[in-house]
Amino acid sequence: MSPRRRFRVAIAGLGTESSTFSPATTNIEAFRTLRGSEVLDDHEWLAPGSPLRARADWLPTLVATALAGGAVTREAYDRLTAEILTRLADVGPLDGLYLDIHGAMSVQGLADPEAHLLEAIRAVIGPDVLVSASMDLHGNVSRRLVHQLDLVTCGRLAPHEDSAETHERAARNLLDRLDSGLGRPLKAWVPIPVLLAGEKTSTRVEPGRGVYAQVAEVESMAGVLDAALWVGYAWADEPRNRAVAVVTGDDAGAVASGARRLARSYWDSRNDFDFAAPTGSLDECLDAALASPARPFFISDSGDNPTAGGAGDVTWGLARLLERPELRVGAVTVIYASIPDPAAVAAAVEAGVGGQVRVEAGAQIDSRHAGPVLLEGVVRFIRHGDEDAGTEVVIQVGGVHVIVTTRRKPYHLEADFTRLGLQPRSADVVVVKIGYLEPELFEMSADWRLALTPGGVDQDLARLGHQHLRRPMFPFDAFEWQPDLEPRFIAPSTGPLTGPDE
């Protein structure tokens, strides 16, 4: 048997999640950029000696990712795209490309930026190179994007505990396809007229758990290479925002059947999706927390969740927290994470640990719902050099320990708190800017509520005022008929793109 050929496979990526309902913008400084060997070092499944590392000559270029936020500036997008294209040109002829994208990036003045990026990449690497992409299940998948891809997969868990597995699957699918010598697979795409918030589609609970369990079942069918189901991204107002199913493979019947099954399962479950935790106004959630013996009791300040695209500095929730008399007098221990304000941090650093401060914080970017909040209290902790937050300080106001940061940061890990001298397991209430709780917080919580608060990622989608979605769309519109959920076979990038993006 002749030895298996080593293929030349490049790696590139550009990804973030963008709320078009946030006044924030995402500039070049917001992106974490990995180049060359840094890209390989960032993926454990490509470590020296790993099976996938040995199967190809990996040619890493640039992978740039940013915390979810507002729309990406055109200048940032153009600069990062130009570098990706230059580096791809420099690595020479390719057999394949593994592309790491999120799928919900919005760029100022540009429609469908991931498809735009792929079209630019194709102009450099040529139409015959096989391209496999990994995506977030909250991404958006237009016909135009699928046309440029040969293989595409997405995460199957929300919260996203399978991100590394998803990336590895996209790369392995690419190498398996190159080894097979079969060329481009068939691609069946089904747009589903449903757009739900991620907090209503968690795979921890039904119906999300059951619907997503079917993805692996479809993938295991003979003649199918990969199956994927996207929830879509609810906090951008663009025609491509909706749920989508895509199945790839070589057996047209199996591919179509699998795509149809996933699309119909999601559609049929649309009325059953609900929030992954009990919800209410912030006051209702606080009342429940204070009345409950469960400790610690977590509350999600969901409307300004930075990992979904919130600006992070909305003060509406914090202001109401500090208005509660029982919290201001210190009868209850509360942790609030977090509010970014460089000037407030600087004042706290100048005062030092144990010093008294009287500073205003927040609402420098998103002041639509409340202005800066007055923090009058004691500096309890200062920490410099956090990769995301920069400098973090803890200011105690009565019983409320407020984390203030130079830059916005999501607080998902117990260590995020303990590094600041805070013990969330011993607190009465922990309020976090988040949607559904990430795994460590979920495990830690004795009980929790999701507060329906305002911000750039407001869970009340009707309140946001979408104008550019493809209508009708559930839950914005009532359906008295069955939508067309028949699979559309999409031509490969070497052929013309035919048919409307619907």
Side-chain angles (χ1 to χ4, degrees):
M1 178 182 292
S2 60
R4 184 163 55 188
R5 177 187 167 196
R6 286 181 63 84
F7 295 101
R8 290 173 52 81
V9 179
I11 306 174
L14 178 56
T16 189
E17 191 175 54
S18 309
S19 169
T20 62
F21 296 103
S22 170
T25 57
T26 301
N27 58 27
I28 192 75
E29 288 77 20
F31 282 88
R32 173 178 180 253
T33 53
L34 301 176
R35 297 172 174 87
S37 61
E38 295 174 332
V39 175
L40 299 179
D41 294 341
D42 197 54
H43 297 294
E44 288 187 11
W45 47 272
L46 280 176
S50 63
L52 285 184
R53 181 71 173 263
R55 288 181 61 184
D57 291 328
W58 294 95
L59 306 167
T61 60
L62 171 74
V63 174
T65 56
L67 178 66
V72 177
T73 65
R74 186 61 185 266
E75 185 268 342
Y77 172 83
D78 286 344
R79 280 177 58 183
L80 292 169
T81 298
E83 183 173 350
I84 289 172
L85 299 179
T86 297
R87 288 177 175 270
L88 284 172
D90 288 345
V91 299
L94 297 172
D95 298 295
L97 168 67
Y98 162 53
L99 187 69
D100 182 3
I101 54 178
H102 181 287
M105 176 171 61
S106 294
V107 176
Q108 293 175 332
L110 186 65
D112 204 351
E114 284 89 359
H116 183 273
L117 172 66
L118 259 293
E119 289 163 356
I121 286 174
R122 283 288 187 194
V124 171
I125 66 175
D128 298 324
V129 174
L130 286 182
V131 178
S132 179
S134 61
M135 294 178 64
D136 190 293
L137 61 82
H138 297 123
N140 305 299
V141 187
S142 65
R143 179 191 289 263
R144 180 181 167 197
L145 178 61
V146 176
H147 175 61
Q148 295 297 331
L149 293 169
D150 299 299
L151 294 158
V152 60
T153 194
C154 73
R156 298 170 182 175
L157 294 177
H160 306 314
E161 300 169 74
D162 63 337
S163 293
E165 179 184 337
T166 302
H167 297 167
E168 183 176 0
R169 183 170 60 249
R172 185 175 61 250
N173 286 349
L174 175 60
L175 294 182
D176 288 349
R177 195 64 184 178
L178 288 170
D179 280 337
S180 75
L182 294 175
R184 290 181 156 80
L186 299 169
K187 299 175 290 189
W189 171 80
V190 187
I192 310 164
V194 175
L195 185 63
L196 297 172
E199 281 66 28
K200 279 195 170 183
T201 52
S202 172
T203 60
R204 277 193 185 128
V205 295
E206 298 295 348
R209 179 189 295 151
V211 169
Y212 267 86
Q214 297 179 56
V215 175
E217 295 173 4
V218 170
E219 182 187 52
S220 68
M221 294 168 57
V224 171
L225 296 176
D226 190 87
L229 177 64
W230 285 263
V231 170
Y233 180 68
W235 295 292
D237 189 14
E238 300 169 341
R240 64 190 179 127
N241 293 86
R242 59 192 165 186
V244 164
V246 175
V247 175
T248 54
D250 296 305
D251 183 309
V255 167
S257 174
R260 186 183 299 112
R261 174 184 172 184
L262 293 178
R264 289 184 176 175
S265 176
Y266 194 79
W267 170 258
D268 290 343
S269 301
R270 67 192 183 282
N271 288 304
D272 300 325
F273 285 103
D274 203 354
F275 290 108
T279 62
S281 69
L282 181 60
D283 284 335
E284 289 170 339
C285 293
L286 281 169
D287 289 342
L290 296 176
S292 171
R295 296 291 183 263
F297 196 111
F298 274 72
I299 297 174
S300 296
D301 183 354
S302 64
D304 194 35
N305 174 12
T307 60
D313 77 335
V314 173
T315 59
W316 189 91
L318 178 57
R320 273 146 187 79
L321 203 68
L322 295 175
E323 289 172 358
R324 302 282 294 225
E326 64 268 61
L327 304 186
R328 289 195 65 88
V329 299
V332 179
T333 300
V334 180
I335 297 172
Y336 186 86
S338 60
I339 197 81
D341 192 298
V345 169
V349 170
E350 183 177 356
V353 174
Q356 294 279 338
V357 291
R358 189 176 191 275
V359 296
E360 290 189 333
Q364 302 303 306
I365 297 172
D366 194 344
S367 60
R368 297 172 297 174
H369 311 287
V373 65
L374 177 64
L375 300 178
E376 189 169 10
V378 181
V379 179
R380 293 300 184 193
F381 208 93
I382 298 171
R383 178 173 180 262
H384 298 286
D386 186 83
E387 181 181 7
D388 299 309
T391 298
E392 302 163 284
V393 301
V394 178
I395 300 175
Q396 182 179 351
V397 183
V400 183
H401 297 73
V402 183
I403 301 173
V404 189
T405 60
T406 303
R407 299 186 298 270
R408 68 195 178 111
K409 172 186 174 174
Y411 284 76
H412 291 172
L413 307 175
E414 185 170 4
D416 291 335
F417 298 93
T418 57
R419 280 194 290 255
L420 301 177
L422 299 170
Q423 301 300 325
R425 292 182 186 271
S426 302
D428 292 306
V429 181
V430 182
V431 182
V432 187
K433 287 188 174 180
I434 200 170
Y436 46 59
L437 295 183
E438 291 297 315
E440 282 196 25
L441 305 187
F442 182 75
E443 181 277 330
M444 192 190 313
S445 66
D447 200 353
W448 72 292
R449 296 288 188 275
L450 193 149
L452 303 176
T453 55
V457 290
D458 195 327
Q459 297 290 328
D460 186 346
L461 300 186
R463 190 159 62 184
L464 291 171
H466 293 76
Q467 298 294 319
H468 303 293
L469 299 178
R470 292 183 183 274
R471 306 292 286 267
M473 181 74 66
F474 180 88
F476 303 93
D477 303 295
F479 279 80
E480 298 179 359
W481 69 95
Q482 182 79 7
D484 180 7
L485 298 178
E486 282 302 298
R488 290 77 154 161
F489 281 92
I490 309 300
S493 60
T494 52
L497 177 60
T498 58
D501 191 13
E502 60 184 17

